[in-house]
Amino acid sequence: MEEKKHMVGGISRKSLERLPIYHHYLEKKSSDGLETISAPAIALDLQLNEVQVRKDLALVAKTAGKPKMGYVIKELIADMEEFLGFHNTNQAALVGVGYLGKALLSYKGFEQYGVEIVMAFDADGRKVNTRIGGKMVLSMDKLENLCQRMNIHIGIITVPAEYAQGVCDRLVAGGVKAIWNFAPVHLTVPPHILVQNENMAVSLAALSKYLYEVEKNGWQETKEEDD
């Protein structure tokens, strides 16, 4: 029931989050030379519920999987990329040009997934009017106006936690429809705004907990517990 409460364009938030996982998995299978694959095989490899996998794939696949053969992998990848908008580039603005912000600005792989960071903003005057990864760093006082004028749809937040909500509010005021948040804080946004959180502190805590359990109980016992 919980999954139905968070819908984005007719698809549940959880399903939307799983689609890039399927995409990465299918690309690997295709590069390995596999031509077709079944929903049960995907569910087994990714340790997901088979019924849920079938429902997720039914949302994006133009052709249903065939008995005994399954889906044609290249066709399923193409359908998934079209559904996710990989070929419809959305422009993004990044706010906070620290170490993480600089790394994201310099990364060349986002356009493969339909996202292009076109500019950055920072409050540090020493960084303003410089270029990082070919992207211009601009003053914060231009944020709302430029986001509106350039029809920016995605805002990337890489500022310290205490500034994140204020930056988020300004991005929303600038017309941004989706937020990729790297600050370790919960953001309050209007219902129509999608927030994707990348909380590295939580992820590292989970890794530490996993390693602790491995040391304490052994890998096999921990693995079985998670299943």
Side-chain angles (χ1 to χ4, degrees), residues 107-124:
Y107 180 60
K108 304 299 182 183
F110 291 131
E111 291 185 30
Q112 176 186 352
Y113 303 103
V115 175
E116 179 189 10
I117 302 176
V118 294
M119 57 188 172
F121 297 90
D122 199 277
D124 187 343

Side-chain angles (χ1 to χ4, degrees), residues 132-188:
I132 297 174
K135 312 299 192 303
M136 179 64 74
V137 180
L138 303 165
S139 172
M140 289 293 294
D141 60 13
K142 297 181 178 180
L143 193 154
E144 291 92 337
N145 181 265
L146 277 177
C147 283
Q148 288 176 345
R149 284 172 51 197
M150 296 185 66
N151 198 27
I152 299 297
H153 287 168
I154 300 173
I156 304 173
I157 297 177
T158 51
V159 300
E162 60 266 32
Y163 302 113
Q165 184 63 57
V167 167
C168 177
D169 293 343
R170 294 185 64 179
L171 286 168
V172 172
V176 162
K177 297 178 176 62
I179 303 287
W180 195 12
N181 176 40
F182 286 84
V185 63
H186 172 76
L187 297 176
T188 300

Side-chain angles (χ1 to χ4, degrees), residues 205-218 222:
L207 289 173
S208 297
K209 174 63 175 174
Y210 174 78
L211 292 174
Y212 171 78
E213 293 296 335
V214 168
E215 290 292 327
K216 180 180 177 182
N217 301 316
T222 303

